[in-house]
Each structure stands twice: as C-alpha cells, then as structure tokens.
Amino acid sequence: MVNFWISEVYDIMNKRIYLDHAATTYLRQEAFSAMMPYLGEIYGNPSSIHAFGFEARRALEAARAQIAEVLGAKTEEILFTSGGTESDNLAVRGAAQAKKGKGRHIITSQIEHPAVMKTCRALEKEGFEVTYLPVDQDGIVNLEALKAALREDTILVSIMAANNEIGTIEPIEEIGRIVKEKSKVYFHVDAVQAVGVMDMSLDRLIDVDLMSFSAHKFYGPAGIGGLFVRKGTRLSSILTGGSQEKGKRAGTENVAGAVGMAEALKLAAQEREEEAVRLSELRDHLIERVLGEIPDSRLNGHRQKRLPGNANFSFDYIEGESLVMRMSALGIAGSTGSACSSASLNPSHVLLAIGLKHETAHGSYRVTLGKATTRQDIDDTVEALKSVVKELRDMSPLCQKG
Ligand code: PLP
C-alpha cells in the first residue's frame, strides 16, 4: 500500500537517483572515448607478431605504464585481469600455491568480500588452514589478534583496504608493518573499493606485495581489473592456457578495457582529493539527517574512518529488501548488503561480524554516493527514507505502536 505521503514525495522527485556506486559506477565519457578505437579499427591480438598485433600491444603497454605511474608501481608489476574477483582469486590462490612448500597457514578477516572469503574457504578444503580475524564494532581488524595469529608456517595475509558494505577503512600500513615482522609472509590487499577513491600509492604502502583493483568502481568499464604484484613476489597462475601477462594470467588481453581503465584511473587520481572532500560533506550531511530525523536508526561502520561516499544504516523493525524495493519504486537506487549477496536471504556476514543481531542486520540500507550525486539528491533521499521507514514500520507486527 502506497500512502498519500509517499506519492507526494514521488511527485516532488519524479526522477531517478543512483546511490549504489559501490556496486558499480557509470563509464565516464573520457574513458569511453579512449576505448572506442580499440573496439573498432584497432583489433589486433597483442601477442601477434605483425603490425596489427604491435599496435594493440603498444596500447596495452601504454595503459599498463599509465596505471603503474598512478599507483606508484613499476610497469612490470601490473597484471591485467577480468576484474576484482579474478584479481582476488589470483592473489590468494596464486600466492598460496606458490608458497605451499613453506607453509599452509593463511590469515584473513571476517569481513572480506566473497572473492577473498570463498577462495579461502575453498583452500581450506584443499589442506590449507585459515584464520579469520575478528573486527571491532566499527569493522576495524583487531591488530592484537593478527599478531597472535601469525605463525612460522603463515604464508599469506589478505586484508581489504576498505569494506564494500560498511565503508570502514582498515589500517593497512600498520597491518603491513606487523605482517613484515615475519618477513616471509606475503601481504595482499583487496583495494577494489579504495583505488580511485583513496591514496593507494604503492611506493608509500611498501609492505603490500599484492593489491587488487577493478575499473568499474572508478568510472572505467566493467570486465577489466588489475593485480599489482610487487617485484620478487612468487605467484602461480590459476588459469591454464597461453603465456600472456608473463605466464601469470592466460587469455588474450582486453585491450579496450585496459585503455579505458587507465584513462579512468588517471582522471580519478587527478580529481581524488577534491572529490573526497565533496563526497565526505554530502555523506556527513546524510548521516546527520538520517540519525537525527529517523528514530531507531544506527550507522554501521566507523564514523570517521570510512569511504567518502559510503553510508550504511540499520533501521529497527524493518526488512532491508523491502526498504530497497520501496525506495526503488520512488526512483532511488540503494542496496542492502553487497551487490553480490543481495540475492541471498542470509544477513550480511559483515554486519554480523561487527556484532549486529540478525534482526538489525536484516534492516540495513547502504547508500553509496558518486560523481553525479548532489545535495538535493541527498535531501530527497532523506525525505523518501523517512516516509518509507515510517510506512514499513506501520505495517510491521514487530514495531510497537503507541
Ligand atoms: N572486492 C571488493 C571489496 C568489492 O567490493 C568487489 C565488488 O563489489 C570485488 C572485490 C569484486 O570486484 P568485481 O566486481 O570487479 O569482480
């Protein structure tokens, strides 16, 4: 039942507001234009040894050099993959396979993306032992638990730079220092939500050996990503096939994708600081209004140490799925849980790890801001949220009225 107030709000807005940038971003015009020639007239295979191949190879290597420069890496330290999921799989499984002669213990956290989490679970079935570190109520990895977990046979630590659901930023530099006290241990960072948004310079993050990133999170195309592999880091290939990407990743490279990713990353780096300030202000405005104007609401994730564009709320007595659908009917696109798990009815493992009860975890709503988001969008979203939350609570048998 859509009540009068909701239809009034809908009339006011009558437009679509996209607030799901953590799931994916639109392809920016400059990246699209840079890709165009490689979707048309320049079509050689970069491995071919003729003029068509050389032309494609030149574009691929220029893209690699550009990405390396932005990330403070060496050109040969960047591998192209099909996206964040593959980069995470390659880093975790590839490092585990390469190092298994030295040990079979891996450390990760309880709030990793399924691309890391499920790879670790699969490795457990193959004879590896995995420690899943707890996090505090804000989602920060427990560093004492990390120190205690490191063992002689630990070969890999994999911790994300920033969480995709609750936006919490992890102390990657500190974690790196702790890991490198045991110098044989590799340190992988899933930086899929961080690259393009935060400073992830690898000449500063000197203890990071492997770092995953994905173009569609910073206004590049979907279906292309990368893995930074610090010089000297051993990594087994997880695909069998050709010897592309120095034998680490079989398969003909996606030249257009690589070119688009390089262009998008270059522009993201140029705009990063200013955009982070703008988004943080909008985010804080949203958080203040929601917490101040909607009773029984809470913010999930760290209040300050969070991605500039992320706000994740829980509303008591409400189902997140219903909230997403009602908001969507009003033209506002948010999410509950991560994009990949939103089809599942289980509450998010991240929200449970920060200590939320099942009911509270079920009532979560994630709003992720981006380049096109305006203050008006935020104010419209708050008004819509207020009415939808009230409407759902009025219908809920769990919500005590009176
Ligand atoms: N890691 C994190 C933290 C993510 O947020 C995502 C996607 O949402 C991934 C990995 C997977 O990236 P992709 O969608 O490029 O496969």
Side-chain angles (χ1 to χ4, degrees), residues 112-359:
E112 297 300 311
H113 188 274
V116 167
M117 193 71 114
K118 290 190 182 172
T119 306
C120 287
R121 296 250 184 256
L123 287 170
E124 279 182 288
K125 295 203 180 92
E126 295 165 32
F128 289 85
E129 202 186 319
V130 182
T131 303
Y132 299 89
L133 298 176
V135 296
D136 68 12
Q137 73 278 10
D138 293 324
I140 306 244
V141 169
N142 184 320
L143 299 185
E144 291 312 310
L146 169 63
K147 286 179 198 159
L150 281 162
R151 314 190 314 212
E152 276 310 308
D153 63 340
T154 307
I155 49 172
L156 173 71
V157 174
S158 178
I159 304 288
M160 66 202 327
N163 186 268
N164 46 303
E165 292 188 40
I166 57 174
T168 296
I169 295 170
E170 299 297 337
I172 288 304
E173 280 181 272
E174 242 175 305
I175 293 171
R177 272 195 295 277
I178 295 168
V179 170
K180 290 300 166 174
E181 277 164 23
K182 296 217 180 240
S183 62
K184 299 190 304 300
V185 182
Y186 284 169
F187 181 31
H188 166 242
V189 174
D190 174 349
V192 168
Q193 292 291 336
V195 166
V197 176
M198 290 162 46
D199 174 19
M200 294 303 294
S201 304
L202 291 153
D203 40 16
R204 184 175 59 81
L205 299 169
I206 51 171
D207 295 322
V208 173
D209 301 302
L210 299 149
M211 187 173 86
S212 309
F213 52 97
S214 180
H216 74 112
K217 306 294 184 179
F218 48 84
Y219 306 90
I224 180 91
L227 181 67
F228 160 78
V229 184
R230 195 174 291 280
K231 194 161 184 274
T233 307
R234 288 173 46 221
L235 194 69
S236 297
S237 172
I238 57 169
L239 296 177
T240 40
S243 53
Q244 289 92 347
E245 300 296 292
K246 293 197 280 156
K248 297 285 188 285
R249 199 276 181 177
T252 302
E253 293 93 341
N254 174 357
V255 179
V259 169
M261 174 158 74
E263 182 67 14
L265 185 60
K266 179 187 82 183
L267 295 169
Q270 286 166 7
E271 297 163 0
R272 184 173 53 75
E273 283 180 28
E274 214 172 299
E275 186 63 354
V277 171
R278 192 186 78 86
L279 288 180
S280 303
E281 278 170 14
L282 288 179
R283 175 201 68 194
D284 292 345
H285 175 61
L286 171 70
I287 293 172
E288 271 155 37
R289 281 205 63 190
V290 168
L291 299 185
E293 296 174 38
I294 303 184
D296 299 315
S297 58
R298 59 161 275 156
L299 178 72
N300 298 316
H302 198 282
R303 183 66 185 81
Q304 286 86 30
K305 294 177 197 160
R306 68 185 308 128
L307 289 168
N310 174 296
N312 185 312
F313 302 102
S314 282
F315 301 102
D316 288 348
Y317 322 116
I318 278 184
E319 278 281 307
E321 285 82 4
S322 313
L323 193 47
V324 170
M325 288 189 302
R326 294 282 166 148
M327 291 295 283
S328 171
L330 296 179
I332 299 172
S335 76
T336 180
S338 75
C340 331
S341 62
S342 57
S344 138
L345 285 180
N346 295 327
S348 135
H349 68 288
V350 176
L351 298 178
L352 295 182
I354 62 172
L356 296 197
K357 288 189 291 209
H358 274 236
E359 313 88 85

Side-chain angles (χ1 to χ4, degrees), residues 21 25-26 28 30 218-219 267-268 271 275 278-279 369-374:
H21 292 84
T25 56
Y26 64 84
R28 64 187 301 166
E30 302 91 328
F218 48 84
Y219 306 90
L267 295 169
E271 297 163 0
E275 186 63 354
R278 192 186 78 86
L279 288 180
L369 287 46
K371 284 170 68 58
T373 312
T374 64

